[in-house]
Amino acid sequence: MSHLDRVKTEKEELEVKAGSLAVFIYKSETFKALSTEKQNTLKAQLSVMQSYISILELRLTQG
């Protein structure tokens, strides 16, 4: 498996995880029951995951 294949796999796996977290944040009653601090932490985590996905996309386009 080449370096770019590994980056692509990592990006795809991260997209699945970020998607699951987004569903939890935006559609879950459980999320709404969490403290504001925990909600903010999960939102920050999602933001960082999305930024990392963007970086992986850049690496793939740059080769």
Side-chain angles (χ1 to χ4, degrees):
M1 180 181 272
S2 75
H3 171 70
L4 289 178
D5 289 335
R6 289 191 299 274
V7 172
K8 182 179 178 186
T9 299
E10 182 175 359
K11 178 183 164 283
E12 290 169 352
E13 291 172 354
L14 186 57
E15 286 173 329
V16 170
K17 292 176 183 179
S20 295
L21 181 55
V23 168
F24 177 72
I25 289 171
Y26 297 111
K27 299 191 179 213
S28 169
E29 291 300 318
T30 304
F31 177 80
K32 294 175 186 173
L34 296 174
S35 69
T36 301
E37 181 180 25
K38 288 182 181 180
Q39 287 182 14
N40 289 339
T41 300
L42 288 169
K43 287 178 182 178
Q45 178 179 337
L46 179 59
S47 177
V48 169
M49 291 169 86
Q50 291 168 332
S51 294
Y52 188 38
I53 289 167
S54 295
I55 291 167
L56 293 174
E57 286 173 358
L58 282 173
R59 289 178 63 193
L60 288 169
T61 59
Q62 293 171 351

